[in-house]
Amino acid sequence: MSDQQVDQGKRTWLIATGCAGAVGGVATAVPFVSTFAPSERAKAAGAAVEVDISALQPGQKLTVEWRGKPVWIVRRTKEQLDALKSNDADLADPNSDRKAYPIPEYAKNEWRSLKPEYLVVVGICSHLGCSPSDKFQAGPQASLPDNWHGGFLCPCHGSTFDMAGRVFKNKPAPDNLEVPPYAFLSDTKLLIGEDKKA
């Protein structure tokens, strides 16, 4: 037998207080560590948005929110697509060469989109941040040129954009509408905010 007697009461007390301390430490640490995780609001602010476009008919627009901004998805008609080339001479930046809003590689084309039929742009004017109005009907109208082929009119200062979101010359808006990163998950599903399949 050992020279020292084991005090069973003391041993039990030490084990119990040690366990209680460990539980209390974990209970205190969990809420503290969880504050490092982004909030739901923060996740939503930068998270990609999945959009069902199956009900979108030619000539219609759908608006979704991404990072607190309106994103327009327009299903263009054949006539609207055919008219795009005729606007080039009247546009400030027909090829989207300006760098204020770098355009994704897949949108460096006449349609500024992955698929010609679908336009995806941030619906905020590059002048002072107003949201342009739809003016999809072609032909002469108030505040629009007589050879209007359809597009958008910013009500704040009169900037006009064609059906590819390109700004016309001699308007206050300095740049075309921004093309956000996006990808087609299928023929009827879009992912706004990422340009690769999730």
Side-chain angles (χ1 to χ4, degrees):
M1 202 162 170
S2 128
D3 292 340
Q4 296 177 331
Q5 290 288 66
V6 176
D7 184 346
Q8 290 297 334
K10 192 175 196 180
R11 174 182 261 178
T12 304
W13 174 251
L14 287 172
I15 292 172
T17 56
C19 289
V23 169
V26 169
T28 303
V30 168
F32 178 73
V33 170
S34 70
T35 63
F36 292 123
S39 67
E40 290 304 313
R41 185 174 177 184
K43 285 181 199 170
V49 178
E50 195 171 308
V51 185
D52 182 352
I53 57 170
S54 60
L56 196 60
Q57 297 300 309
Q60 291 183 334
K61 178 181 91 173
L62 175 65
T63 303
V64 296
E65 186 177 339
W66 171 69
R67 291 189 174 178
K69 302 175 191 175
V71 173
W72 297 338
I73 303 158
V74 180
R75 186 169 178 190
R76 294 177 282 205
T77 64
K78 182 184 182 318
E79 294 76 23
Q80 290 168 334
L81 287 169
D82 291 345
L84 287 178
K85 203 68 167 156
S86 63
N87 291 330
D88 285 1
D90 298 321
L91 299 171
D93 185 19
N95 299 316
S96 297
D97 293 325
R98 294 181 181 168
K99 302 296 182 226
Y101 296 119
I103 188 166
E105 281 298 319
Y106 51 79
K108 288 187 177 179
N109 51 48
E110 181 181 344
W111 314 284
R112 295 182 80 229
S113 61
L114 272 167
K115 294 183 179 183
E117 190 177 358
Y118 293 98
L119 172 68
V120 180
V121 291
V122 175
I124 297 176
C125 180
S126 58
H127 181 224
L128 293 176
C130 298
S131 188
S133 304
D134 303 346
K135 296 292 180 184
F136 294 169
Q137 182 181 339
Q141 299 164 58
S143 303
L144 295 170
D146 288 344
N147 64 342
W148 183 250
H149 298 291
F152 309 93
L153 168 68
C154 185
C156 298
H157 299 97
S159 293
T160 48
F161 302 86
D162 73 353
M163 289 301 294
R166 302 175 297 177
V167 69
F168 282 84
K169 290 179 183 173
N170 305 315
K171 299 294 179 176
D175 285 294
N176 297 333
L177 297 177
E178 177 184 2
V179 175
Y182 73 97
F184 280 89
L185 299 176
S186 71
D187 287 340
T188 59
K189 293 251 189 223
L190 265 177
L191 185 67
I192 310 289
E194 291 180 22
D195 49 16
K196 293 184 176 71
K197 289 187 179 181

